[in-house]
Amino acid sequence: ELDHRFAVSLRPTDSVLLTNLGVTHKILYLQKRDPHMLDVADAFFSRAAEANPYYLQARQERTDILVLRLTGNTGRDVNIHRRLVEANQAVLELDPFLPFIRRNLAEALYQSGNREKAYEELLKTVELEPNYVPGYKKLAEWYGEDGNVELSREFRDKAGSIERNYSKVTDVTDYEAIILGRPGGSPGS
């Protein structure tokens, strides 16, 4: 941390250095579970995004910080989901083809009450990444909750079909594991 702070003191508007310092505090949070570390990390990611509005990693890291703030309590998390909507949209402004971010945007929209837009985003996610098993499963879940048994089954079957097609493939990249919803994959799974 001290080395990163020293580097930032020499180059206070370097978005990469600011992001690295933010990541350091995110790691400290994960080790110690001190919520103050999330605030510090978020401040550095915000500064990095301001220093270079086109630096994607700083924006992605801000979404990670918000996800780490989720408590699992729907009522308490609604404001975090609203902030996640904004943060994910900011990432998608720079790269609209990130299925995990789009899926996380859909989840945040859904949890903050904008279900129509959530469905739209998640359908676009599986359109952009047609093998995205967790996306199909989430659509099946949502349609099931809404009582649309036919669409729920359709998306569940689509997920199952993809899983069967790739069931014998064992040598997959981390990205492919996430897309296929396999253990070890984390973003949006």
Side-chain angles (χ1 to χ4, degrees):
E1 177 189 6
L2 293 176
D3 290 341
H4 286 298
R5 283 190 181 277
F6 179 69
V8 166
S9 73
L10 296 175
R11 300 194 55 181
T13 60
D14 186 308
S15 57
V16 174
L17 294 177
L18 290 164
T19 299
N20 288 345
L21 189 50
V23 169
T24 300
H25 284 89
K26 182 172 88 170
I27 291 168
L28 287 172
Y29 166 78
L30 293 171
Q31 292 171 344
K32 300 177 182 182
R33 295 297 177 188
D34 176 359
H36 174 68
M37 292 296 114
L38 289 179
D39 296 335
V40 175
D42 192 30
F44 283 113
F45 296 141
S46 295
R47 283 179 54 194
E50 287 173 20
N52 182 352
Y54 301 103
Y55 188 50
L56 185 64
Q57 186 181 354
R59 291 184 184 206
Q60 287 177 307
E61 292 290 353
R62 290 204 70 218
T63 65
D64 288 350
I65 292 299
L66 289 167
V67 168
L68 289 171
R69 293 181 187 277
L70 291 171
T71 66
N73 179 316
T74 307
R76 289 172 54 195
D77 287 346
V78 72
N79 288 332
I80 296 171
H81 284 294
R82 288 184 183 132
R83 291 175 56 201
L84 271 166
V85 168
E86 293 173 17
N88 285 311
Q89 287 172 332
V91 172
L92 291 171
E93 286 175 11
L94 296 181
D95 188 347
F97 302 104
L98 296 170
F100 317 121
I101 297 294
R102 193 168 293 282
R103 190 249 186 229
N104 290 344
L105 171 59
E107 183 71 33
L109 287 163
Y110 192 87
Q111 295 301 326
S112 59
N114 193 345
R115 290 184 173 193
E116 184 177 324
K117 185 72 173 158
Y119 280 107
E120 182 181 311
E121 288 297 336
L122 196 48
L123 287 166
K124 184 163 182 91
T125 301
V126 295
E127 177 184 323
L128 292 171
E129 181 51 73
N131 289 319
Y132 191 37
V133 171
Y136 290 112
K137 287 182 175 180
K138 184 55 75 172
L139 283 165
E141 177 187 326
W142 287 352
Y143 280 117
E145 287 175 6
D146 287 347
N148 191 329
V149 177
E150 185 177 320
L151 279 176
S152 178
R153 183 178 13 215
E154 178 183 323
F155 286 111
R156 191 174 43 257
D157 290 349
K158 180 68 176 170
S161 173
I162 295 166
E163 288 173 324
R164 284 187 299 282
N165 283 343
Y166 292 95
S167 65
K168 292 190 180 1
V169 178
T170 56
D171 186 27
V172 296
T173 65
D174 290 344
Y175 178 85
E176 292 164 336
I178 295 165
I179 292 295
L180 296 172
R182 292 188 179 170
S186 62
S189 58

